[in-house]
């Protein structure tokens, strides 16, 4: 078959594959009412990895039903766990029969979800050996793991890279004073990995420049319920006194602050008053302050926020920072709001300087965003216009959905499998608020 025919065949197959993905069809919508937020994806994943630290049963409640959660379930099953997941409750037990290979997290699963790399620490601590595929980069950035490896080596792990796998062994981890700050500040999953390794290490581990995110606090809360001795969680200095063994646990996952922030952005962009419930408002201070700075009224309850945009939004300058700064995972969503604000805004992306894949797609909807390295300058416009746009990653796809709800006319958001990774039934939640959104299964 000549080259031309091969190319034509390939492009037909690619086109069929490309169209074989679900898409959203969305029309301009006003929203109204109350939305209940699910459990946090980014709190669930390290806690699921922590079950590797014990052979006893762990019951984890309020787990969101997401693709990333199901991927982590598959990884834990390969690593020797038996798992039941029903109605947002995970029951994790140790398999009775094992093959002896339950320390290898395979590339075919790890490459689909970088967070699986945080199995390395607990595996090493509990089984003294681990082989976890190196996670690749992704569209938001290179995603290095040097801090993870640095911390584990300081605890006494010997780590080699073999055929794309990170193969770690130890005779027994020993507590150490570890500085975990990197070029971009603290690292959430590196902190999680090192804490989970240190809880079974001999002696005291001090982790300096630890991540302060709520997801780290919730992980440590669970580890302490399992019998670990940890203090300083939520601050840049975490102290761990190693213990010999950890027991099972029953725990509930904290609310997803990024999902909550996504709905705040949807409220601002569509100029719709919303009540967002089942949240911890303390995890959203920087986001609430930003919404207020844009002119919205935010009334904070014990576990809710009522947002009333009140008309035209004001431009603001946004810089993403480690917690408690403005979260990088809400940068794309709030960019859409700023595209509809009066005046010029500046976004500085300090965590993932390349996290602007959404800019080109938003500009195709009539926005005026100029990216320059880690900066994006946004000239506010009166309107956005519906178009066929393509999701590139989890949070960018959420931003495109928000843009579609605010835009004139009809928008098709392609490749919504990205959004399924991190939002539990988002179209159902939006439809209940009055959104004109439907999923077209390909
Ligand atoms: C967590 O990723 C979140 N994922 C990300 O959310 C979030 O964007 C990120 O933290 C920052 O808040 C989960 O919790 C599962 P990092 P993580 O290590 O831990 C650099 C989403 O949309 N770095 O805190 O992998 C890194 O390049 C996802 O839900 C190193 O240099 O991120 C980045 O610039 C996307 N060396 C900065 O640190 C390392 O060894 C922060 O990354 C590790 C990270």
């Amino acid at each position: 078959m000549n080259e031309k025919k091969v190319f034509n065949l390939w492009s037909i197959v690619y086109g069929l594959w490309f169209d074989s993905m679900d898409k959203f069809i969305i029309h301009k919508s006003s929203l109204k009412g109350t939305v209940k937020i699910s459990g946090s994806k980014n709190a669930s994943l390290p806690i699921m990895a922590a079950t590797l630290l014990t052979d006893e049963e762990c019951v984890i409640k309020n787990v969101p039903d997401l693709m990333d959660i199901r991927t982590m379930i598959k990884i834990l099953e390969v690593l020797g766990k038996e798992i039941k997941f029903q109605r947002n409750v995970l029951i994790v037990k140790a398999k009775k029969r094992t093959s002896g290979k339950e320390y290898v997290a395979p590339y075919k699963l790890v490459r689909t979800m970088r967070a699986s790399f945080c199995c390395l620490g607990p595996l090493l601590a509990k089984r003294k050996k681990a082989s976890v595929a190196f996670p690749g980069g992704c569209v938001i950035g290179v995603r290095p793991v040097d801090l993870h490896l640095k911390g584990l080596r300081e605890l006494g792990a010997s780590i080699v890279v073999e055929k794309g796998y990170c193969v770690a062994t130890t005779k027994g981890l020993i507590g150490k004073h570890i500085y975990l700050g990197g070029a971009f500040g603290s690292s959430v999953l590196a902190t999680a990995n090192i804490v989970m390794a240190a809880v079974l290490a001999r002696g005291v581990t001090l982790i300096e420049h630890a991540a302060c995110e709520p997801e780290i606090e919730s992980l440590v809360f669970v580890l302490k319920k399992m019998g670990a001795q940890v203090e300083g969680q939520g601050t840049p200095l975490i102290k761990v006194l190693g213990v010999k063994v950890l027991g099972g646990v029953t725990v509930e996952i904290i609310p997803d602050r990024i999902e909550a922030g996504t709905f705040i952005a949807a409220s601002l962009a569509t100029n719709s008053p919303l009540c967002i419930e089942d949240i911890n408002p303390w995890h959203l201070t920087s986001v609430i302050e930003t919404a207020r700075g844009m002119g919205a009224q935010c009334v904070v309850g014990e576990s809710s926020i009522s947002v009333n945009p009140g008309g035209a939004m004001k431009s603001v300058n946004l810089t993403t920072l480690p917690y408690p700064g403005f979260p990088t995972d809400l940068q794309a969503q709030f960019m859409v709001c700023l595209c509809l604000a009066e005046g010029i805004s500046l976004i500085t992306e300090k965590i993932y300087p390349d996290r602007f894949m959404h800019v080109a797609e938003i500009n195709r909807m009539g926005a005026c965003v100029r990216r320059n390295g880690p900066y994006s300058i946004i000239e506010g416009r009166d309107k956005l216009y519906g178009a066929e746009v393509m999701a590139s990653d989890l949070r960018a796809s959420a931003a495109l959905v928000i843009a579609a709800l605010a835009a004139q006319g009809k928008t098709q958001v392609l490749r919504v499998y990205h959004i399924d990774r991190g939002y539990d039934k988002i179209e159902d939640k939006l439809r209940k608020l009055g959104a004109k959104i439907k999923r077209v299964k390909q």
Side-chain angles (χ1 to χ4, degrees):
M1 191 186 287
N2 68 31
E3 271 180 29
K4 190 168 173 1
K5 281 187 181 168
V6 169
F7 177 76
N8 288 341
L9 179 64
W10 181 83
S11 54
I12 292 165
V13 169
Y14 180 73
L16 287 173
W17 172 75
F18 175 73
D19 286 341
S20 69
M21 299 171 185
D22 290 3
K23 61 184 174 185
F24 282 153
I25 296 193
I26 302 171
H27 290 82
K28 180 173 175 56
S29 307
S30 293
L31 308 177
K32 193 163 174 282
T34 297
V35 59
K36 290 185 176 302
I37 297 301
S38 301
S40 164
K41 165 181 86 77
N42 290 351
S44 301
L45 295 170
I47 288 170
M48 290 170 75
T51 62
L52 293 165
L53 291 164
T54 180
D55 296 327
E56 293 181 17
E57 179 179 279
C58 298
V59 179
I60 310 171
K61 300 175 180 172
N62 196 32
V63 178
D65 190 352
L66 306 169
M67 272 172 59
D68 276 7
I69 298 296
R70 292 187 177 274
T71 301
M72 185 60 106
I73 287 172
K74 285 193 200 116
I75 290 169
L76 292 178
E77 285 170 340
V78 167
L79 295 174
K81 293 295 185 183
E82 209 167 79
I83 297 183
K84 279 205 196 80
F85 184 38
Q86 275 170 345
R87 289 190 293 282
N88 301 104
V89 178
L90 265 176
I91 300 174
V92 185
K93 293 178 181 164
K95 270 182 187 153
K96 293 182 183 57
R97 273 193 307 282
T98 56
S99 69
K101 285 286 281 178
E102 289 76 16
Y103 64 89
V104 181
Y107 177 64
K108 69 176 183 332
L109 291 173
V110 172
R111 71 182 163 85
T112 64
M113 189 193 58
R114 165 193 164 76
S116 28
F117 202 67
C118 72
C119 293
L120 190 59
L123 271 181
L124 202 51
K126 184 78 171 67
R127 302 182 196 164
K128 301 196 173 32
K129 61 182 175 182
S131 175
V132 179
F134 261 107
C138 64
V139 289
I140 69 174
V142 175
R143 310 299 297 268
V145 290
D146 56 307
L147 297 174
H148 298 245
L149 305 184
K150 173 191 175 191
L152 293 172
R153 283 185 171 121
E154 299 222 11
L155 288 173
S158 60
I159 298 177
V160 294
V161 178
E162 272 169 20
K163 299 188 191 102
Y165 279 72
C166 174
V167 183
T169 53
T170 179
K171 291 190 176 53
L173 298 175
I174 299 170
K176 195 81 181 298
H177 180 174
I178 299 168
Y179 179 73
L180 213 52
F184 296 91
S186 53
S187 162
V188 177
L189 286 178
T191 302
N193 237 337
I194 304 314
V195 168
M196 288 193 280
V199 291
L200 291 179
R202 194 151 35 89
V204 176
T205 298
L206 277 179
I207 304 169
E208 207 173 333
H209 209 144
C212 303
E213 272 69 4
E215 292 76 24
I216 294 295
E217 283 195 272
S218 77
L219 170 65
V220 170
F221 175 78
V222 172
L223 292 170
K224 291 175 82 160
K225 281 192 86 170
M226 294 167 76
Q229 296 197 27
V230 188
E231 56 191 52
Q233 64 277 15
T235 78
L237 183 65
I238 294 178
K239 182 178 172 185
V240 184
L241 173 60
V243 295
K244 289 234 180 304
V245 71
L246 292 180
V249 66
T250 295
V251 70
E252 182 159 329
I253 295 295
I254 60 171
D256 193 318
R257 61 192 173 100
I258 303 303
E259 184 188 25
T262 302
F263 278 96
I264 293 175
S267 163
L268 297 178
T270 59
N271 195 19
S272 310
L274 281 186
C275 181
I276 299 155
E277 287 189 344
D278 294 353
I279 62 163
N280 181 338
W282 287 100
H283 293 163
L284 285 151
T285 308
S286 62
V287 182
I288 295 167
E289 285 309 298
T290 301
R292 286 173 172 155
M294 294 169 68
Q297 196 197 28
C298 297
V299 178
V300 177
E302 201 177 308
S303 58
S304 68
I305 293 176
S306 293
V307 185
N308 190 340
M313 286 178 283
K314 297 180 193 131
S315 56
V316 296
N317 292 336
L318 249 189
T319 299
T320 65
L321 289 166
Y323 190 87
F326 188 90
T328 175
D329 292 349
L330 286 172
Q331 180 257 104
Q333 299 91 315
F334 270 74
M335 179 184 281
V336 172
C337 303
L338 294 172
C339 289
L340 291 163
E342 288 168 346
I344 292 176
S345 302
L346 171 69
I347 290 184
T348 306
E349 178 50 77
K350 288 245 182 186
I351 308 294
Y352 297 113
D354 292 330
R355 194 175 199 170
F356 290 118
M357 285 293 283
H358 42 286
V359 169
E361 294 303 290
I362 297 172
N363 282 344
R364 293 183 57 244
M365 298 177 74
C368 180
V369 182
R370 279 172 292 139
R371 184 218 167 158
N372 185 346
Y375 307 101
S376 276
I377 297 167
I378 300 119
E379 263 182 69
R381 288 284 187 271
D382 292 342
K383 293 187 174 64
L384 295 177
Y385 299 90
E388 194 169 15
V389 291
M390 193 183 309
S392 55
D393 61 274
L394 167 54
R395 305 304 175 183
S397 44
L400 292 176
V401 169
I402 292 170
L405 292 168
Q408 306 298 314
K410 169 181 160 182
T411 298
Q412 293 197 60
V413 181
L414 308 178
R415 296 189 173 182
V416 291
Y417 67 86
H418 286 294
I419 209 162
D420 293 335
R421 289 192 51 188
Y423 289 92
D424 194 350
K425 305 180 195 57
I426 192 165
E427 69 261 35
D428 297 348
K429 290 175 178 168
L430 284 168
R431 222 181 352 258
K432 280 192 191 118
L433 294 171
K436 300 184 190 87
I437 178 171
K438 73 174 179 182
R439 180 187 290 257
V440 176
K441 283 209 164 297
Q442 299 296 320

